[in-house]
Each structure stands twice: as structure tokens, then as C-alpha cells.
Amino acid sequence: EDKVVQSPLSLVVHEGDTVTLNCSYEVTNFRSLLWYKQEKKAPTFLFMLTSSGIEKKSGRLSSILDKKELFSILNITATQTGDSAIYLCAVALDNAGNMLTFGGGTRLMVKP
Amino acid sequence: DTEVTQTPKHLVMGMTNKKSLKCEQHMGHRAMYWYKQKAKKPPELMFVYSYEKLSINESVPSRFSPECPNSSLLNLHLHALQPEDSALYLCASSQEGAGSANTGELFFGEGSRLTVL
């Protein structure tokens, strides 16, 4: 059975801290790994990773994939209260259209 | 702003009611999805339409009935729901359907929050 596991389940930090969110997966026919941020409603897309070792960056956020060890990390530096959200990791599989298998999410709270 | 539009944003219905959730996208995407999300849980896939045909039904009870009138619209018809069906229902779309070279990004709508009394 395909599985995506995120850790930690939840995290409380203060503004300015750096956080690292983890996502490990055990799936057949891996195609890509995606990170989404979900505040109150729709998940919003952050990154899509298909190749190992290539860091993707967007402002204070960055992410990297390790296809040998089957995990990805999402880093957020200099956190702000607006970063408070649930961060979802999902894996897209070959031969499965664009179905995503989601991890359970990490709930991040950034305190002022 | 999301380019996937869902209506209504909130819906309260009784167990004997019949209602529908609607989803619309004008990005020319050929695959559309319904996900169900309970509180503090990740989204769970319900249905996938690819090129207007139902390609995946994740063993969803028949009280949920999807419909794809055209490539831009996706409906979810609801009938005889149970209180445990209360959840956020998310619609999503992607550029291509099953078997394509697309790498998997889904665009989500803001969801319809359903409460079944």
C-alpha cells in the first residue's frame, strides 16, 4: 500500500525561527512529490519535486528531494506568523493520472 | 485568487435533502477531482474525471453522485447523506488526465463546507 508520512505532526515556533518539515514515502511508480500549504480553505501549491538533490527555493521557503532515501524536506527560514498553516506533502504516481496520495500534514504555528 | 471556483462555500442540509456542489475552472484543464477533507485530516480522493469521463471512483457510497457536464464543470450531487459526511469538499483540476506526461500539480478550489444535520 502506498504511504506518505509527515513529521512532526505539529510544531510551535517563534517568529524568526527556522523550521524543517519532513515527508517520507513508500510508493510504487513514483513520479513527483508536491508540497502544499493549507490555511483555512484550499491547499495552495508550493513546490513540485521530481529529481533528487535539486533544491527548489521560493523566498524563505526551500525544498529538496532524496529519491534514494525516499524523503523530502521543506525548510522555512525567518518564520513569520503568516506561515502558520498546515503543510501537506503529496506524492503523484505514474500510471495513476494526477491522483495525489497525501501525507497527514504538519500543523505549524508561528507565535509573535 | 484560486482559478477553481466552488459553490456554495457553505451548505447545511438535512439527511433527506438533495443538493449539489458545483465546481468550475477555465484554465483548459482536462482532469477534475473531488476530494473530501475532514477536520485535521488530509484530503481524501473521491472521484477523478479525465477528459469528461469518470476514470476513478474511490469506493465512494452511491449517495454521492458526480457529474461532469463539460470539461469546465464538475458537480457533486448529494442525496440521503449522513452526519458523518460533514466535511470540506475540495474540487481540483490538473492540466492533463491519466496517463499524460503531466507531473502532478493540482489546482484546488476553496472548498464547500458541508454540514449534514
Side-chain angles (χ1 to χ4, degrees), chain B residues 96-112:
Chain B
E96 294 291 344
S100 77
N102 187 279
T103 47
E105 181 183 353
L106 297 190
F107 293 78
F108 284 89
E110 297 223 329
S112 293

mmCIF file of all heavy atoms in Angstrom, chain B residues 96-112:
data_model
loop_
_atom_site.group_PDB
_atom_site.id
_atom_site.type_symbol
_atom_site.label_atom_id
_atom_site.label_comp_id
_atom_site.label_asym_id
_atom_site.label_seq_id
_atom_site.Cartn_x
_atom_site.Cartn_y
_atom_site.Cartn_z
ATOM 1 N N GLU B 96 -3.629 17.804 -17.465
ATOM 2 C CA GLU B 96 -3.924 16.669 -18.305
ATOM 3 C C GLU B 96 -4.508 15.549 -17.472
ATOM 4 O O GLU B 96 -4.421 15.543 -16.254
ATOM 5 C CB GLU B 96 -2.651 16.154 -18.996
ATOM 6 C CG GLU B 96 -2.052 17.123 -19.994
ATOM 7 C CD GLU B 96 -2.895 17.315 -21.236
ATOM 8 O OE1 GLU B 96 -3.773 16.490 -21.480
ATOM 9 O OE2 GLU B 96 -2.656 18.301 -21.955
ATOM 10 N N GLY B 97 -5.083 14.588 -18.136
ATOM 11 C CA GLY B 97 -5.687 13.480 -17.431
ATOM 12 C C GLY B 97 -4.733 12.333 -17.229
ATOM 13 O O GLY B 97 -3.533 12.481 -17.308
ATOM 14 N N ALA B 98 -5.293 11.174 -16.977
ATOM 15 C CA ALA B 98 -4.499 9.985 -16.663
ATOM 16 C C ALA B 98 -3.598 9.621 -17.830
ATOM 17 O O ALA B 98 -3.953 9.784 -18.993
ATOM 18 C CB ALA B 98 -5.433 8.820 -16.348
ATOM 19 N N GLY B 99 -2.410 9.181 -17.484
ATOM 20 C CA GLY B 99 -1.502 8.663 -18.499
ATOM 21 C C GLY B 99 -0.728 9.726 -19.230
ATOM 22 O O GLY B 99 0.010 9.431 -20.158
ATOM 23 N N SER B 100 -0.853 10.956 -18.821
ATOM 24 C CA SER B 100 -0.148 12.009 -19.540
ATOM 25 C C SER B 100 1.231 12.216 -18.937
ATOM 26 O O SER B 100 1.586 11.627 -17.929
ATOM 27 C CB SER B 100 -0.930 13.304 -19.474
ATOM 28 O OG SER B 100 -0.754 13.884 -18.198
ATOM 29 N N ALA B 101 1.976 13.136 -19.530
ATOM 30 C CA ALA B 101 3.311 13.439 -19.016
ATOM 31 C C ALA B 101 3.269 14.488 -17.927
ATOM 32 O O ALA B 101 4.284 14.902 -17.411
ATOM 33 C CB ALA B 101 4.197 13.934 -20.162
ATOM 34 N N ASN B 102 2.080 14.940 -17.579
ATOM 35 C CA ASN B 102 1.973 15.978 -16.543
ATOM 36 C C ASN B 102 2.570 15.494 -15.237
ATOM 37 O O ASN B 102 2.424 14.335 -14.868
ATOM 38 C CB ASN B 102 0.492 16.322 -16.347
ATOM 39 C CG ASN B 102 0.313 17.500 -15.435
ATOM 40 O OD1 ASN B 102 0.359 17.359 -14.223
ATOM 41 N ND2 ASN B 102 0.130 18.659 -16.010
ATOM 42 N N THR B 103 3.246 16.377 -14.525
ATOM 43 C CA THR B 103 3.968 15.946 -13.336
ATOM 44 C C THR B 103 3.148 15.987 -12.058
ATOM 45 O O THR B 103 3.652 15.680 -11.011
ATOM 46 C CB THR B 103 5.231 16.787 -13.147
ATOM 47 O OG1 THR B 103 4.901 18.156 -13.306
ATOM 48 C CG2 THR B 103 6.295 16.394 -14.152
ATOM 49 N N GLY B 104 1.922 16.382 -12.145
ATOM 50 C CA GLY B 104 1.078 16.114 -10.989
ATOM 51 C C GLY B 104 0.499 17.278 -10.236
ATOM 52 O O GLY B 104 -0.214 17.075 -9.282
ATOM 53 N N GLU B 105 0.783 18.529 -10.645
ATOM 54 C CA GLU B 105 0.271 19.632 -9.851
ATOM 55 C C GLU B 105 -1.232 19.747 -9.981
ATOM 56 O O GLU B 105 -1.778 19.750 -11.086
ATOM 57 C CB GLU B 105 0.915 20.948 -10.289
ATOM 58 C CG GLU B 105 0.430 22.134 -9.459
ATOM 59 C CD GLU B 105 0.995 23.443 -9.931
ATOM 60 O OE1 GLU B 105 1.873 23.448 -10.819
ATOM 61 O OE2 GLU B 105 0.549 24.484 -9.425
ATOM 62 N N LEU B 106 -1.895 19.822 -8.861
ATOM 63 C CA LEU B 106 -3.330 20.065 -8.828
ATOM 64 C C LEU B 106 -3.592 21.494 -8.375
ATOM 65 O O LEU B 106 -2.886 22.025 -7.537
ATOM 66 C CB LEU B 106 -4.025 19.124 -7.847
ATOM 67 C CG LEU B 106 -3.989 17.625 -8.093
ATOM 68 C CD1 LEU B 106 -4.941 16.930 -7.148
ATOM 69 C CD2 LEU B 106 -4.321 17.300 -9.523
ATOM 70 N N PHE B 107 -4.621 22.074 -8.954
ATOM 71 C CA PHE B 107 -5.072 23.394 -8.538
ATOM 72 C C PHE B 107 -6.383 23.193 -7.789
ATOM 73 O O PHE B 107 -7.340 22.659 -8.340
ATOM 74 C CB PHE B 107 -5.297 24.291 -9.761
ATOM 75 C CG PHE B 107 -4.030 24.615 -10.499
ATOM 76 C CD1 PHE B 107 -3.450 23.690 -11.357
ATOM 77 C CD2 PHE B 107 -3.408 25.842 -10.339
ATOM 78 C CE1 PHE B 107 -2.272 23.978 -12.038
ATOM 79 C CE2 PHE B 107 -2.238 26.143 -11.022
ATOM 80 C CZ PHE B 107 -1.666 25.209 -11.867
ATOM 81 N N PHE B 108 -6.408 23.642 -6.548
ATOM 82 C CA PHE B 108 -7.574 23.412 -5.711
ATOM 83 C C PHE B 108 -8.489 24.629 -5.674
ATOM 84 O O PHE B 108 -8.036 25.776 -5.704
ATOM 85 C CB PHE B 108 -7.141 23.094 -4.276
ATOM 86 C CG PHE B 108 -6.611 21.702 -4.099
ATOM 87 C CD1 PHE B 108 -5.267 21.434 -4.277
ATOM 88 C CD2 PHE B 108 -7.465 20.664 -3.760
ATOM 89 C CE1 PHE B 108 -4.775 20.146 -4.119
ATOM 90 C CE2 PHE B 108 -6.974 19.374 -3.596
ATOM 91 C CZ PHE B 108 -5.634 19.112 -3.771
ATOM 92 N N GLY B 109 -9.789 24.353 -5.548
ATOM 93 C CA GLY B 109 -10.743 25.392 -5.211
ATOM 94 C C GLY B 109 -10.736 25.606 -3.709
ATOM 95 O O GLY B 109 -10.039 24.910 -2.966
ATOM 96 N N GLU B 110 -11.514 26.591 -3.261
ATOM 97 C CA GLU B 110 -11.530 26.924 -1.835
ATOM 98 C C GLU B 110 -12.398 25.983 -1.020
ATOM 99 O O GLU B 110 -12.387 26.037 0.202
ATOM 100 C CB GLU B 110 -11.995 28.365 -1.650
ATOM 101 C CG GLU B 110 -11.055 29.372 -2.278
ATOM 102 C CD GLU B 110 -10.804 30.568 -1.398
ATOM 103 O OE1 GLU B 110 -11.704 30.951 -0.625
ATOM 104 O OE2 GLU B 110 -9.698 31.131 -1.464
ATOM 105 N N GLY B 111 -13.146 25.145 -1.691
ATOM 106 C CA GLY B 111 -13.900 24.137 -0.973
ATOM 107 C C GLY B 111 -15.321 24.559 -0.653
ATOM 108 O O GLY B 111 -15.658 25.743 -0.616
ATOM 109 N N SER B 112 -16.155 23.559 -0.466
ATOM 110 C CA SER B 112 -17.526 23.757 0.021
ATOM 111 C C SER B 112 -17.622 23.043 1.356
ATOM 112 O O SER B 112 -17.390 21.828 1.435
ATOM 113 C CB SER B 112 -18.543 23.152 -0.949
ATOM 114 O OG SER B 112 -18.581 23.838 -2.170
#
